[in-house]
Amino acid sequence: MESLKSVFWKPDPKVQMQKCNSLIRANTRKLDRDIAQLRTLDSKTRSLILQSSKRAHKNPSQAKQAAQETRIFARELIRVRKQSARLAMSKAQLQSVAMQVNEAFSVRKIEGSIRASTGIMKDVNSLVRLPELTGTMRELSQELVRAGIIEEMVGDSLPDDSMLEGEDEEAEGEVDKVLGEILQGKTAKVDERHIDKPVELRPEEEEEDEDQEEMLDQMRGRLEALKS
C-alpha cells in the first residue's frame, strides 16, 4: 500500500524532515560515543607514560627501556588525539548539516519548493567518507536526495585515505613535545634513539613489561576499531 502511495503522492515533507533529523541524531550519538572512548584512551596512555617514567627514576638500570616505552606510548597518544580532533570536526560538520537541512525544509514550507544545496552536499559527501559513519550517512544522503535537498552523488564514496595520512609515522619533535607536556621535563636523561642493546630485566620486571605491552596492544585495537 505504501509503495502505491509513493507512486501517486509525493512524500510528506514533515515525515522526510523527521527521518533526516533522526538519522543525524543517530550519527551524532555514534560520534559522541567514539569521542568518549578516545578520551578514555588518552587518559590511559598518559598514565602509561607516567608509569614508565617513574619506573626509570626508581631504578636507573631500566632508564633505557623506559625511554623506549614512553616514546612508543607518546606516538600512540598522538594518534589518539588526531583521531579525536577529526571526529570533533566531523561532529561540527554534522551539526551544520542539521541546521541547513531544517532551514531547507522551512523554506520549502514557505515557498512550496526546495532548492538543492551544494553546501549540504559537500558536507554530506565528506561525512560519508568518514569510516565511522559510512553506513548511516549513506542512508541520510539517500533521504536528502529524495527530498530534493541535495543531488544524487556520483561515484563510490569510499573512506578518504588523505584523512588518515600522517598517523603512521609521527615526527620525533611531536613526540618530544607530548612527553614534555606530560612529564614536564622529568624524563630520564637517556636518548632511546642511540640504544645499543636492551636492558636485562628481573622476572617481576619482565612481567610488568608484558602487562604494559598487552595494554598497548589493546589500545591499538580499540583505536583501529574506531577507524573501521
Side-chain angles (χ1 to χ4, degrees):
M1 187 66 181
E2 290 298 323
S3 59
L4 285 173
K5 282 184 179 180
S6 65
V7 173
F8 297 104
W9 287 280
K10 291 183 179 180
D12 184 348
K14 186 177 179 181
V15 173
Q16 285 183 314
M17 184 174 75
Q18 289 174 346
K19 187 163 186 181
C20 288
N21 283 328
S22 176
L23 287 167
I24 289 171
R25 286 194 297 270
N27 281 305
T28 302
R29 288 193 296 270
K30 173 69 168 64
L31 286 175
D32 284 338
R33 287 194 298 269
D34 289 348
I35 290 170
Q37 287 183 46
L38 287 168
R39 286 201 194 101
T40 301
L41 285 177
D42 186 300
S43 179
K44 286 184 177 180
T45 312
R46 289 168 64 92
S47 295
L48 287 171
I49 290 172
L50 289 168
Q51 287 171 21
S52 294
S53 180
K54 284 178 183 177
R55 195 171 80 247
H57 285 287
K58 287 180 181 178
N59 190 345
S61 66
Q62 294 184 39
K64 291 182 180 180
Q65 181 70 20
Q68 280 184 317
E69 289 176 1
T70 55
R71 298 190 78 82
I72 290 170
F73 293 141
R75 290 187 184 96
E76 289 303 312
L77 183 57
I78 291 168
R79 293 189 182 102
V80 167
R81 288 180 174 179
K82 284 181 178 179
Q83 176 79 342
S84 183
R86 185 167 58 251
L87 294 188
M89 186 183 300
S90 297
K91 183 179 176 181
Q93 272 186 307
L94 195 56
Q95 290 170 336
S96 173
V97 168
M99 291 175 62
Q100 293 179 77
V101 165
N102 286 322
E103 184 181 345
F105 277 109
S106 297
V107 170
R108 179 178 187 172
K109 188 175 181 180
I110 296 169
E111 299 182 357
S113 63
I114 201 164
R115 292 184 297 272
S117 169
T118 54
I120 298 177
M121 187 170 179
K122 182 179 178 182
D123 284 339
V124 169
N125 191 41
S126 174
L127 289 165
V128 166
R129 293 173 180 271
L130 192 70
E132 292 83 355
L133 300 180
T134 298
T136 47
M137 282 307 301
R138 282 184 187 277
E139 189 178 353
L140 175 60
S141 68
Q142 289 167 2
E143 287 300 320
L144 294 174
V145 169
R146 290 192 192 102
I149 293 176
I150 65 173
E151 296 176 355
E152 190 168 359
M153 289 184 284
V154 180
D156 190 14
S157 297
L158 293 173
D160 190 354
D161 290 337
S162 65
M163 298 177 74
L164 306 177
E165 284 180 0
E167 291 199 354
D168 293 332
E169 295 183 5
E170 280 64 40
E172 291 299 318
E174 199 172 355
V175 172
D176 290 333
K177 185 178 178 180
V178 167
L179 290 176
E181 168 204 329
I182 297 171
L183 300 177
Q184 298 178 350
K186 296 177 183 177
T187 54
K189 296 181 179 179
V190 178
D191 188 351
E192 57 89 31
R193 287 167 286 184
H194 297 93
I195 296 174
D196 295 321
K197 55 184 179 180
V199 178
E200 292 185 6
L201 302 176
R202 296 192 299 272
E204 63 271 17
E205 292 167 351
E206 289 178 349
E207 198 172 299
E208 182 182 348
D209 190 51
E210 287 174 4
D211 290 340
Q212 288 195 330
E213 188 64 32
E214 184 179 350
M215 187 174 290
L216 181 60
D217 288 340
Q218 289 175 359
M219 287 165 49
R220 285 173 175 162
R222 288 178 190 170
L223 186 57
E224 290 304 317
L226 286 171
K227 291 178 183 177
S228 60

